[in-house]
Amino acid sequence: MALTGKEQASRNYLKERKPKVFEKVSRFTEKYKKGESIALIQLQYRYGCNMLCEHCSIEAYQKNAKGKKSLTPNDVKKLADQADEMGLARFVISGGEPTTFPDLDELVEAIGPDRFYINSDTNGYLLAEKVQHMKDIGIDRIQLSIDSLNPEEHDSFRKKPGAWQHAMEGMEECLKIGMPLFIQTVVTRQRLHSTEFIDFVEFFNNKGITVFITFAKPVGAYEGQFDSMIDEKDLQYERELEKKYKLCTHLTPGYGLNMGCIGVKDFISVTQYGDVQPCPYFHCSIGNVFDTPLKDIIQNGLKIKYFGEHYDECFLAQDVEWVKKYVAAKIYGKPVPVPFEEVFSEDDWTKNPYWTLL
């Protein structure tokens, strides 16, 4: 697949501003076809937050935190060194809420802005006052979560008065100083087909901002809510919307590659306590960075057929039977993340690695 105009512009930015990152990204297709992961690393560095959002999954991790070691900037430096050696090129700083991290500067320095493209998630409450500094220390893009154009609905969902106004002020400050950003929003099947959602997308598109959809998944506060999940027809509808609007999901082809489910192949999530998950919503550990090299952890993940083969769907958002088998039966009610050996059996190991299907 050819690069989109936006992707080519991003490549040009990297070539000029971050040549080390450009070199790694330029090898993504080659690495992918050889069966190597090109994973973005989402770093759930701290679970502290200034909101109590309805869809949050953090509480389940905090319940079982006693006695666990937490990541430090030095630990992140070791992780980033390994990722760099593997040719990985992207980090997302997440949490919790990154704008509340007292050691954010040290964290960014540990990752290394010269060798990684760094995104930061945020709920936007402190963004307006902090985004210039975030840009100055080497963060490349903001991923701003907004739930509704209705301030009352957004604030109610976030359980934080003034959350919507602060987020909008943060967005405007990003546009003012030239900080790239996109809007992240959670979308249920019902919302996807609503007029409200189209109005939402058009509002931000008119400001030149892309909207990134996170499909609702029956985990965390949404546990057991299978009626919010999408199906294949819903996904096809969303893909038609992508032809009209600046809109994308994690299933949208990127870097000239159609990867389908990006778990492990193009994405991993590292918890505050070092556990590595195939995605932040699948509360299953494929290893821990405190005791296992990152390369070995990723190989563990690729041995599982759902991540080591090509699947053109999001299991957690679309496949009710898959969720019932691997999440409801194996993860619900247990301390998370659950080790992958307790979730999958030998029947789930890959026989057709994804790169053989390209």
Side-chain angles (χ1 to χ4, degrees), residues 29-275:
T29 298
E30 174 189 352
K31 288 173 63 63
Y32 185 79
K33 290 184 175 180
K34 287 165 54 180
E36 298 178 21
S37 173
I38 56 173
L40 174 154
I41 300 174
Q42 185 213 47
L43 192 65
Q44 298 177 9
Y45 182 66
R46 284 288 178 274
Y47 290 134
C49 190
N50 51 4
M51 294 190 185
L52 296 168
C53 308
E54 287 185 11
H55 67 308
C56 188
S57 299
I58 287 174
E59 185 178 353
Y61 289 86
Q62 292 174 318
K63 284 181 180 178
N64 305 296
K66 187 175 181 180
K68 288 187 176 181
K69 180 180 178 182
S70 292
L71 292 169
T72 66
N74 187 52
D75 297 318
V76 173
K77 171 70 164 54
K78 294 176 182 177
L79 174 64
D81 288 346
Q82 294 178 65
D84 189 34
E85 290 178 5
M86 294 172 64
L88 306 184
R90 299 163 293 158
F91 267 82
V92 172
I93 299 173
S94 190
E97 172 52 38
T99 59
T100 68
F101 296 168
D103 55 353
L104 181 62
D105 290 34
E106 291 84 358
L107 176 60
V108 172
E109 182 180 3
I111 294 170
D114 64 322
R115 57 182 182 164
F116 290 99
Y117 188 88
I118 303 176
N119 296 272
S120 178
D121 286 333
T122 182
N123 58 39
Y125 198 80
L126 299 174
L127 184 60
E129 62 188 81
K130 297 204 172 188
V131 67
Q132 181 64 62
H133 180 71
M134 296 169 79
K135 184 178 182 181
D136 291 343
I137 63 175
I139 293 174
D140 297 287
R141 184 171 63 183
I142 296 298
Q143 303 177 174
L144 174 60
S145 293
I146 297 181
D147 309 303
S148 171
L149 295 181
N150 183 304
E152 290 76 20
E153 289 182 3
H154 179 90
D155 291 1
S156 175
F157 186 84
R158 298 277 161 175
K159 299 180 182 178
K160 183 79 168 182
W164 187 88
Q165 184 61 38
H166 280 78
M168 298 301 288
E169 290 171 357
M171 176 197 70
E172 293 294 347
E173 187 65 19
C174 286
L175 295 174
K176 177 182 175 182
I177 70 171
M179 171 62 101
L181 83 157
F182 60 78
I183 301 300
Q184 296 185 130
T185 194
V186 176
V187 176
T188 62
R189 168 188 286 175
Q190 295 79 8
R191 188 184 183 206
L192 179 64
H193 295 279
S194 70
T195 301
E196 176 274 330
F197 178 64
I198 297 300
D199 291 343
F200 182 94
V201 173
E202 289 181 341
F203 176 85
F204 292 107
N205 280 186
N206 288 337
K207 292 180 175 291
I209 304 172
T210 297
V211 173
F212 180 90
I213 290 176
T214 296
F215 289 121
K217 303 166 183 69
V219 297
Y222 283 166
E223 185 173 304
Q225 296 187 29
F226 302 122
D227 61 334
S228 295
M229 296 173 65
I230 63 168
D231 59 22
E232 179 60 29
K233 289 184 179 179
D234 298 320
L235 183 59
Q236 290 302 321
Y237 170 71
E238 188 281 330
R239 285 172 170 166
E240 288 300 313
L241 292 181
E242 287 188 24
K243 297 176 182 178
K244 183 176 180 181
Y245 299 105
K246 295 177 181 176
L247 186 68
C248 62
T249 75
H250 66 285
L251 294 172
T252 303
Y255 302 96
L257 298 167
N258 182 5
M259 292 175 272
C261 172
I262 61 174
V264 187
K265 295 184 284 290
D266 189 48
F267 190 103
I268 57 171
S269 180
V270 183
T271 74
Q272 176 179 328
Y273 312 111
D275 285 296

